[in-house]
Amino acid sequence: MEKRAGCVTALYPGTFDPLTNGHVSIVTRGLSMFHTIIVAVAEDSGKKTLFSLKERADMAKKVFAHTEGVKVEPFSGLLAHHVKNTEAQVVLRGMRALSDFENEFQMALMNRRLCRDFQTVFLMTDYRWMYISSSIIKEVAGHGGDIRGLVPEHVEKKLVKRLQEKNREQKA
Ligand code: COA
């Protein structure tokens, strides 16, 4: 199924510290259901990030620069407030293992409490990306492990460079 469907715009929020091939897969598959996907890079996710908001958004922009129907936008504050300021009708989330369910359920219900029109749509993550997360990729790369194929090529370069800088700073 190659075609882009419907006229619905979906907002795909996340920390994307950094964007992985698992995230890319959700966006790519989402394009068979949604006309436009806004990759919304969150400033406030309760996580201490390795990359700044601008860096995370810039990396995602580069990945999707040639993908029709994908926009990348940073946002701050509550997702439920932000979504009202966009043209999105639904929020798209990826669901990996059972462990994601509880957190996703909690967020979806809280978001609906904050905004009655808030609808969350879930896509099961492709089995190839079930076990990855941004943190595990950062951990492996931080110890010199091979992360090829888990993140887009230019994300890999940025990540390795940033982790080397961090290691040097820690040793100094
Ligand atoms: N493939 C691979 N990895 C995936 C994945 C996929 N399809 N989907 C998610 N992940 C990984 C992410 O890389 C992330 O890894 P990390 O924890 O190591 O960083 C992890 O799974 C969780 O990602 P995700 O579920 O997308 O959550 P998030 O923390 O990136 O994003 C926000 C959460 C940004 C949506 C949420 O914090 C938010 O809405 N923030 C705004 C403030 C707000 O409204 N808060 C109240 C919410 S009710």
Side-chain angles (χ1 to χ4, degrees):
M1 255 200 315
E2 285 286 312
K3 64 180 191 291
R4 283 167 60 201
C7 55
V8 176
T9 294
L11 187 120
Y12 179 44
T15 314
F16 306 118
D17 185 47
L19 186 94
T20 69
N21 282 342
H23 298 126
V24 174
S25 162
I26 295 286
V27 172
T28 311
R29 288 168 55 220
L31 282 174
S32 65
M33 282 174 288
F34 304 112
H35 183 266
T36 304
I37 296 182
I38 304 168
V39 177
V41 185
E43 177 159 40
D44 308 298
S45 64
K47 290 179 185 172
K48 191 176 180 309
T49 59
L50 181 65
F51 293 101
S52 70
L53 179 64
K54 185 175 181 312
E55 286 171 325
R56 286 180 278 134
D58 285 349
M59 278 188 275
K61 277 181 191 164
K62 201 162 173 185
V63 171
F64 295 114
H66 305 293
T67 312
E68 199 188 340
V70 181
K71 296 183 202 173
V72 177
E73 293 172 359
F75 79 100
S76 53
L78 286 176
L79 177 62
H81 292 168
H82 176 68
V83 78
K84 285 191 234 173
N85 301 324
T86 72
E87 74 264 33
Q89 291 96 335
V90 296
V91 166
L92 172 65
R93 297 284 293 162
M95 182 89 79
R96 289 168 305 165
L98 203 59
S99 52
D100 276 348
F101 178 80
E102 219 171 305
N103 189 37
E104 290 301 331
F105 193 51
Q106 187 181 29
M107 279 203 292
L109 290 182
M110 177 54 87
N111 282 325
R112 263 182 62 74
R113 186 183 187 278
L114 293 167
C115 169
R116 282 314 289 166
D117 301 334
F118 197 112
Q119 304 293 355
T120 311
V121 172
F122 296 97
L123 254 187
M124 289 309 295
T125 298
D126 191 292
Y127 71 92
R128 285 174 299 167
W129 318 114
M130 286 297 278
Y131 65 99
I132 64 164
S133 68
S134 300
S135 301
I136 203 167
I137 288 172
K138 283 182 281 192
E139 190 183 337
V140 170
H143 293 287
D146 186 0
I147 55 159
R148 268 174 306 172
L150 299 179
V151 290
E153 224 169 281
H154 91 272
V155 171
E156 183 193 330
K157 286 189 190 129
K158 285 243 176 222
L159 184 54
V160 170
K161 188 164 172 268
R162 174 58 49 88
L163 289 167
Q164 283 169 347
E165 287 164 2
K166 210 176 149 203
N167 277 347
R168 272 199 296 272
E169 275 166 29
Q170 277 167 354
K171 280 181 190 152

